[in-house]
Amino acid sequence: MTGRATRESIQGQSFNDVLNELHAHTFSGSPGESDPFTLGELEREYIAYALALYYQCEHCRVYHGKVIERLRSKAGLPEWLWQDELVKTVLFLRTAKAGVSALEWDGWVASWRRFAGRIHHRHPGLACATAYAIGISRADEPLMDMAFESLKDRWPDPATLLGVIRDIDRVVVFMKAATSKNRTDPIVRRQLGGCGVRV
Protein backbone atom coordinates (compact mmCIF):
# COMPACT_ATOMS: atom_id res chain seq x y z
CA MET A 1 0.00 0.00 0.00
CA THR A 2 1.39 3.37 -0.94
CA GLY A 3 -0.18 5.33 1.91
CA ARG A 4 -1.52 8.24 -0.13
CA ALA A 5 -1.32 10.88 2.60
CA THR A 6 -2.23 14.53 2.08
CA ARG A 7 1.08 15.72 3.45
CA GLU A 8 4.19 15.88 1.32
CA SER A 9 6.16 12.70 0.79
CA ILE A 10 9.56 12.44 2.46
CA GLN A 11 10.87 10.93 -0.77
CA GLY A 12 9.26 13.65 -2.90
CA GLN A 13 6.12 13.69 -5.03
CA SER A 14 7.85 12.20 -8.08
CA PHE A 15 8.85 9.14 -6.03
CA ASN A 16 5.29 8.82 -4.71
CA ASP A 17 3.96 9.02 -8.27
CA VAL A 18 6.28 6.17 -9.29
CA LEU A 19 5.21 4.10 -6.27
CA ASN A 20 1.53 4.72 -7.10
CA GLU A 21 2.17 3.68 -10.71
CA LEU A 22 3.96 0.53 -9.48
CA HIS A 23 0.93 -0.20 -7.25
CA ALA A 24 -1.35 0.04 -10.29
CA HIS A 25 0.87 -2.24 -12.39
CA THR A 26 0.96 -4.75 -9.51
CA PHE A 27 -2.68 -4.88 -8.48
CA SER A 28 -5.21 -3.17 -10.75
CA GLY A 29 -3.29 -2.72 -13.98
CA SER A 30 -2.83 0.39 -16.10
CA PRO A 31 -4.95 0.09 -19.27
CA GLY A 32 -2.80 -0.19 -22.36
CA GLU A 33 0.40 -0.25 -20.31
CA SER A 34 0.40 -3.22 -17.93
CA ASP A 35 1.08 -6.78 -18.98
CA PRO A 36 -2.02 -8.93 -18.45
CA PHE A 37 -2.27 -10.62 -15.05
CA THR A 38 -2.21 -14.41 -14.75
CA LEU A 39 -3.09 -14.57 -11.06
CA GLY A 40 -6.37 -12.97 -10.03
CA GLU A 41 -6.47 -9.82 -7.95
CA LEU A 42 -7.50 -11.80 -4.87
CA GLU A 43 -4.47 -14.12 -5.22
CA ARG A 44 -2.15 -11.14 -5.54
CA GLU A 45 -3.75 -9.46 -2.53
CA TYR A 46 -3.40 -12.63 -0.43
CA ILE A 47 0.30 -12.69 -1.31
CA ALA A 48 0.61 -8.99 -0.44
CA TYR A 49 -1.10 -9.62 2.92
CA ALA A 50 1.29 -12.50 3.67
CA LEU A 51 4.26 -10.30 2.78
CA ALA A 52 2.90 -7.53 5.03
CA LEU A 53 2.92 -10.09 7.84
CA TYR A 54 6.38 -11.29 6.87
CA TYR A 55 7.78 -7.73 6.76
CA GLN A 56 5.81 -6.88 9.94
CA CYS A 57 4.16 -3.81 8.41
CA GLU A 58 0.89 -3.15 10.21
CA HIS A 59 -0.12 -0.37 7.80
CA CYS A 60 0.16 -2.71 4.80
CA ARG A 61 -1.50 -5.59 6.66
CA VAL A 62 -4.56 -3.47 7.45
CA TYR A 63 -4.77 -2.03 3.93
CA HIS A 64 -4.46 -5.36 2.08
CA GLY A 65 -6.73 -7.07 4.62
CA LYS A 66 -9.50 -4.59 3.80
CA VAL A 67 -9.00 -5.12 0.07
CA ILE A 68 -9.20 -8.89 0.53
CA GLU A 69 -12.41 -8.61 2.55
CA ARG A 70 -13.93 -6.38 -0.16
CA LEU A 71 -12.92 -8.79 -2.96
CA ARG A 72 -14.14 -11.84 -1.03
CA SER A 73 -17.47 -10.16 -0.29
CA LYS A 74 -17.90 -9.05 -3.91
CA ALA A 75 -17.21 -12.61 -5.12
CA GLY A 76 -19.58 -14.10 -2.50
CA LEU A 77 -16.92 -16.52 -1.26
CA PRO A 78 -17.69 -18.85 1.67
CA GLU A 79 -16.40 -18.04 5.14
CA TRP A 80 -12.78 -19.00 5.71
CA LEU A 81 -10.41 -17.90 8.46
CA TRP A 82 -7.93 -16.71 5.84
CA GLN A 83 -6.13 -14.30 8.18
CA ASP A 84 -5.35 -17.09 10.65
CA GLU A 85 -4.23 -19.40 7.83
CA LEU A 86 -1.93 -16.77 6.33
CA VAL A 87 -0.39 -16.08 9.76
CA LYS A 88 0.32 -19.82 10.08
CA THR A 89 1.69 -19.87 6.53
CA VAL A 90 4.11 -17.04 7.24
CA LEU A 91 5.19 -18.62 10.53
CA PHE A 92 5.82 -21.88 8.68
CA LEU A 93 7.85 -20.11 6.00
CA ARG A 94 10.16 -18.34 8.46
CA THR A 95 12.14 -21.59 8.64
CA ALA A 96 15.12 -21.62 6.28
CA LYS A 97 17.02 -24.71 5.18
CA ALA A 98 20.29 -23.00 6.13
CA GLY A 99 19.14 -22.76 9.76
CA VAL A 100 18.26 -26.42 10.36
CA SER A 101 19.83 -29.86 9.95
CA ALA A 102 19.15 -32.04 6.89
CA LEU A 103 16.88 -34.28 8.99
CA GLU A 104 14.95 -31.28 10.32
CA TRP A 105 14.61 -29.87 6.79
CA ASP A 106 13.21 -33.16 5.48
CA GLY A 107 10.69 -33.16 8.33
CA TRP A 108 9.85 -29.52 7.66
CA VAL A 109 9.23 -30.22 3.95
CA ALA A 110 6.90 -33.13 4.78
CA SER A 111 4.99 -30.99 7.31
CA TRP A 112 4.84 -28.08 4.87
CA ARG A 113 3.36 -30.26 2.14
CA ARG A 114 0.57 -31.44 4.46
CA PHE A 115 -0.12 -27.88 5.58
CA ALA A 116 0.01 -26.47 2.02
CA GLY A 117 -2.41 -29.18 0.90
CA ARG A 118 -4.91 -27.98 3.49
CA ILE A 119 -4.62 -24.39 2.21
CA HIS A 120 -4.87 -25.67 -1.38
CA HIS A 121 -8.35 -27.06 -0.65
CA ARG A 122 -9.50 -23.57 0.36
CA HIS A 123 -7.61 -21.60 -2.28
CA PRO A 124 -5.68 -23.66 -4.88
CA GLY A 125 -2.07 -22.62 -5.43
CA LEU A 126 -2.01 -20.01 -2.67
CA ALA A 127 0.43 -21.74 -0.31
CA CYS A 128 3.06 -22.42 -2.97
CA ALA A 129 2.68 -18.91 -4.46
CA THR A 130 3.16 -17.43 -0.98
CA ALA A 131 6.17 -19.67 -0.38
CA TYR A 132 7.69 -18.54 -3.67
CA ALA A 133 7.07 -14.88 -2.77
CA ILE A 134 8.76 -15.24 0.61
CA GLY A 135 11.58 -17.17 -1.04
CA ILE A 136 12.12 -14.25 -3.43
CA SER A 137 11.89 -11.71 -0.62
CA ARG A 138 14.79 -13.27 1.26
CA ALA A 139 16.63 -14.76 -1.74
CA ASP A 140 16.10 -18.25 -0.30
CA GLU A 141 16.98 -20.55 -3.20
CA PRO A 142 15.96 -23.86 -1.55
CA LEU A 143 12.53 -22.42 -0.66
CA MET A 144 12.15 -20.97 -4.15
CA ASP A 145 13.14 -24.32 -5.72
CA MET A 146 10.65 -26.23 -3.57
CA ALA A 147 7.84 -23.77 -4.29
CA PHE A 148 8.70 -23.61 -7.99
CA GLU A 149 8.17 -27.35 -8.35
CA SER A 150 4.65 -26.94 -6.94
CA LEU A 151 3.96 -23.94 -9.17
CA LYS A 152 5.19 -25.89 -12.20
CA ASP A 153 2.86 -28.79 -11.34
CA ARG A 154 -0.09 -26.43 -10.95
CA TRP A 155 0.64 -24.39 -14.09
CA PRO A 156 2.47 -26.71 -16.52
CA ASP A 157 2.02 -24.42 -19.53
CA PRO A 158 5.30 -22.40 -19.82
CA ALA A 159 3.58 -19.14 -20.79
CA THR A 160 1.13 -19.42 -17.89
CA LEU A 161 3.94 -20.33 -15.47
CA LEU A 162 5.90 -17.27 -16.61
CA GLY A 163 2.83 -15.09 -15.99
CA VAL A 164 2.39 -16.54 -12.49
CA ILE A 165 6.06 -15.97 -11.61
CA ARG A 166 5.89 -12.44 -13.06
CA ASP A 167 2.80 -11.64 -10.97
CA ILE A 168 4.38 -12.99 -7.77
CA ASP A 169 7.66 -11.18 -8.39
CA ARG A 170 5.89 -7.87 -8.97
CA VAL A 171 3.99 -8.18 -5.71
CA VAL A 172 7.26 -8.88 -3.86
CA VAL A 173 9.04 -5.90 -5.44
CA PHE A 174 6.14 -3.57 -4.71
CA MET A 175 5.68 -4.81 -1.14
CA LYS A 176 9.39 -4.46 -0.36
CA ALA A 177 9.25 -0.83 -1.42
CA ALA A 178 5.89 -0.05 0.18
CA THR A 179 6.55 -1.77 3.51
CA SER A 180 9.95 -0.12 3.84
CA LYS A 181 8.37 3.27 3.18
CA ASN A 182 5.38 2.67 5.46
CA ARG A 183 7.49 1.29 8.31
CA THR A 184 10.22 3.92 8.24
CA ASP A 185 8.37 7.13 7.28
CA PRO A 186 7.15 7.76 10.86
CA ILE A 187 10.73 7.33 12.16
CA VAL A 188 12.17 9.66 9.53
CA ARG A 189 9.41 12.23 10.20
CA ARG A 190 10.17 12.09 13.94
CA GLN A 191 13.90 12.50 13.33
CA LEU A 192 13.43 15.39 10.91
CA GLY A 193 10.84 16.99 13.20
CA GLY A 194 13.42 16.97 15.98
CA CYS A 195 15.57 19.15 13.74
CA GLY A 196 12.70 21.49 12.89
CA VAL A 197 12.11 20.01 9.42
CA ARG A 198 8.43 19.45 8.67
CA VAL A 199 7.32 17.04 5.90
Side-chain angles (χ1 to χ4, degrees), residues 144-161:
M144 289 176 69
D145 286 342
M146 183 192 72
F148 185 78
E149 289 304 313
S150 296
L151 293 172
K152 196 169 61 172
D153 288 346
R154 173 136 177 81
W155 291 284
D157 173 65
T160 305
L161 180 62

Side-chain angles (χ1 to χ4, degrees), residues 46-174:
Y46 277 140
I47 294 166
Y49 185 89
L51 288 169
L53 291 170
Y54 184 75
Y55 294 134
Q56 300 175 12
C57 180
E58 185 65 10
H59 180 86
C60 294
R61 185 193 67 76
V62 169
Y63 174 83
H64 291 284
K66 287 178 180 175
V67 174
I68 290 168
E69 288 294 357
R70 180 179 48 78
L71 291 171
R72 287 182 52 79
S73 176
K74 184 178 176 184
L77 295 174
E79 285 297 314
W80 175 42
L81 298 176
W82 62 268
Q83 297 100 328
D84 293 347
E85 292 303 315
L86 286 177
V87 167
K88 292 174 194 171
T89 301
V90 170
L91 284 171
F92 225 119
L93 293 171
R94 288 199 184 274
T95 299
K97 184 177 183 180
V100 297
S101 70
L103 185 61
E104 289 171 317
W105 179 251
D106 290 344
W108 182 90
V109 169
S111 296
W112 166 255
R113 287 189 175 136
R114 286 190 300 276
F115 176 78
R118 204 177 82 219
I119 300 284
H120 184 78
H121 289 297
R122 287 296 194 155
H123 202 101
L126 179 59
C128 57
T130 302
Y132 198 76
I134 289 177
I136 292 170
S137 71
R138 69 172 183 239
D140 184 334
E141 191 172 352
L143 181 58
M144 289 176 69
D145 286 342
M146 183 192 72
F148 185 78
E149 289 304 313
S150 296
L151 293 172
K152 196 169 61 172
D153 288 346
R154 173 136 177 81
W155 291 284
D157 173 65
T160 305
L161 180 62
L162 172 61
V164 168
I165 297 298
R166 184 180 289 145
D167 287 352
I168 294 169
D169 197 39
R170 286 179 181 153
V171 173
V172 173
V173 169
F174 174 76

Side-chain angles (χ1 to χ4, degrees), residues 25-43:
H25 282 287
T26 304
F27 295 103
S28 59
S30 293
E33 295 180 21
S34 297
D35 293 319
F37 296 116
T38 303
L39 294 176
E41 186 178 6
L42 182 58
E43 284 78 19

